[in-house]
């Protein structure tokens, strides 16, 4: 048994998943503000021992987004994006793949959702080692990169993820790796389809003030993008008073350096991320919360 928490709203409603004794990962929520426990969300009743179902985002009015295993028209079962409205499964607005060939392997994975639930981000699998960073707008799938399962005549495969959606649903960010090694971060305009690319980084989060937070390979070397320029994350608190580095243990390593920001509060004053921590020549990472007050 186990559980995962992916998001929480202003009312203390936490969404995520629970793992049962049968090793199924099932979508669930917890009303933390009222001292609740994990409660399963409705699914299609299909075993998730092979493919997980989970809730990844929740709006302040309680709409929940995530993915659920669904039987397609040809009888195959795949993960697809979904919503839960009033805690009831609602797939009515989604254009589902017609068959398993269009949704190979896992099918879809969901990572982010806009505040109104109209825009969902993640990836769509091709099933041969490739997966396209993808966005669903009003239930319709667009592959941001990779409309075909290979990208050149040599059969090169690729992978990528659309990690996050801006709160207003206007932008999506993530990364694309055309060869499985090099990466390029992107900021995708949902309305126009235009992409702003930032080589060697992957986009992971937005704030509400025009910043897009990005990370290097393995979560190292975090930056943020703003108005067409990139900045090291440490520039966010340059010149401010306060302690932004803490020894994790009294006898190991040196002070941590805030490395990557993965989440930002609506007011921009609380940032969640990781410390890069040097210990005996090894770079470690620890979770951190930075409060800009």
């Amino acid at each position: 048994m186990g559980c995962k928490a992916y998001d929480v709203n202003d009312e203390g409603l936490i969404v995520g998943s629970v793992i049962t004794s049968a090793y199924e990962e099932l979508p669930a929520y917890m009303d933390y503000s009222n001292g609740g426990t994990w409660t399963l969300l409705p699914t299609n009743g299909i075993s998730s021992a092979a493919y997980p179902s989970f809730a990844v985002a929740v709006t302040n009015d309680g709409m929940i987004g995530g993915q659920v295993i669904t039987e397609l028209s040809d009888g195959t079962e795949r993960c697809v994006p979904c919503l839960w409205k009033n805690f009831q499964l609602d797939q009515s607005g989604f254009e589902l793949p017609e068959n398993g060939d269009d949704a190979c392997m896992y099918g879809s994975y969901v990572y982010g959702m806009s505040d109104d639930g109209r825009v969902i981000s993640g990836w769509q699998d091709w099933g041969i080692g490739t997966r396209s960073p993808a966005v669903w707008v009003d239930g319709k799938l667009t592959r941001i990169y990779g409309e075909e399962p290979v990208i050149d005549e040599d059969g090169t495969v690729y992978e990528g993820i659309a990690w996050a959606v801006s709160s207003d649903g206007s932008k999506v960010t993530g990364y694309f790796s055309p060869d499985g090694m090099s990466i390029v971060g992107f900021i995708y305009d949902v309305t126009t389809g235009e992409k702003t690319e930032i080589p060697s980084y992957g986009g992971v989060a937005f704030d509400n003030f025009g910043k897009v937070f990005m990370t290097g390979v393995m979560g190292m070397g975090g930056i943020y993008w703003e108005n067409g320029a990139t900045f090291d994350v440490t520039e966010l608190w340059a010149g401010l008073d306060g302690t932004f580095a803490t020894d994790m243990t009294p006898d190991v390593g040196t002070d941590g350096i805030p490395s990557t920001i993965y989440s930002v509060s609506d007011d921009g004053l609380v940032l969640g991320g990781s410390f890069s921590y040097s210990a005996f020549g090894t770079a470690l990472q620890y979770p951190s919360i930075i409060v800009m007050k």
Side-chain angles (χ1 to χ4, degrees), residues 180-227:
M181 297 177 63
S182 59
I183 64 172
V184 57
F186 63 83
I187 304 165
Y188 175 79
D189 188 299
V190 171
T191 300
T192 67
E194 295 179 353
K195 295 188 285 284
T196 300
E197 297 185 338
I198 298 90
S200 303
Y201 289 92
V204 292
F206 293 92
D207 70 6
N208 288 335
F209 307 97
K211 296 183 182 65
V212 185
F213 291 88
M214 298 194 156
T215 181
V217 176
M218 301 298 290
M220 306 294 286
I223 64 169
Y224 67 92
W225 178 97
E226 186 177 26
N227 296 324

Side-chain angles (χ1 to χ4, degrees), residues 6 15-16 27 41 52-58 63-69 79-84 89-91 94 108-113 117 120-121 136:
Y6 290 107
V15 298
L41 287 161
S53 295
F54 51 75
V56 75
V58 58
M63 187 190 316
I64 299 170
Q67 66 186 57
V68 67
I69 302 174
C79 296
V80 296
C82 69
L83 296 174
W84 286 271
L89 180 62
D90 185 347
Q91 297 180 270
F94 289 90
S108 308
Y109 250 62
V110 173
Y111 287 91
M113 185 176 75
I120 291 174
S121 66
W136 291 262

Side-chain angles (χ1 to χ4, degrees), residues 15 65 67-68 94 119 122-123 165 198 209 216 239 248 251 254 264 278:
V15 298
Q67 66 186 57
V68 67
F94 289 90
V119 182
W123 53 252
V165 185
I198 298 90
F209 307 97
M248 298 303 169
D251 57 348
T254 60
V264 186
S278 176

Side-chain angles (χ1 to χ4, degrees), residues 71-186:
E71 183 175 320
L72 306 181
S73 58
D74 67 347
T76 57
E77 298 169 354
R78 296 289 187 269
C79 296
V80 296
C82 69
L83 296 174
W84 286 271
K85 299 178 180 178
N86 296 319
F87 304 109
Q88 298 302 308
L89 180 62
D90 185 347
Q91 297 180 270
S92 60
F94 289 90
E95 295 182 7
L96 300 181
E98 292 186 0
N99 54 62
D101 291 335
D102 294 331
C104 300
M105 294 296 287
Y106 287 98
S108 308
Y109 250 62
V110 173
Y111 287 91
M113 185 176 75
S114 61
D115 283 353
D116 59 8
R118 290 187 55 242
V119 182
I120 291 174
S121 66
W123 53 252
Q124 179 79 12
D125 219 332
W126 278 113
I128 62 169
T130 59
R131 52 189 48 154
S132 299
V135 60
W136 291 262
V137 181
D138 293 325
K140 181 177 177 57
L141 166 68
T142 296
R143 293 178 185 265
I144 298 173
Y145 293 85
E147 295 181 357
E148 300 293 338
V150 296
I151 62 170
D152 60 26
E153 63 274 8
D154 295 326
T156 301
V157 299
Y158 55 83
E159 60 103 10
I161 297 172
W163 279 111
V165 185
S166 62
S167 59
D168 63 1
S170 65
K171 300 287 192 301
V172 171
T173 191
Y175 77 90
F176 179 65
S177 177
D179 54 14
M181 297 177 63
S182 59
I183 64 172
V184 57
F186 63 83

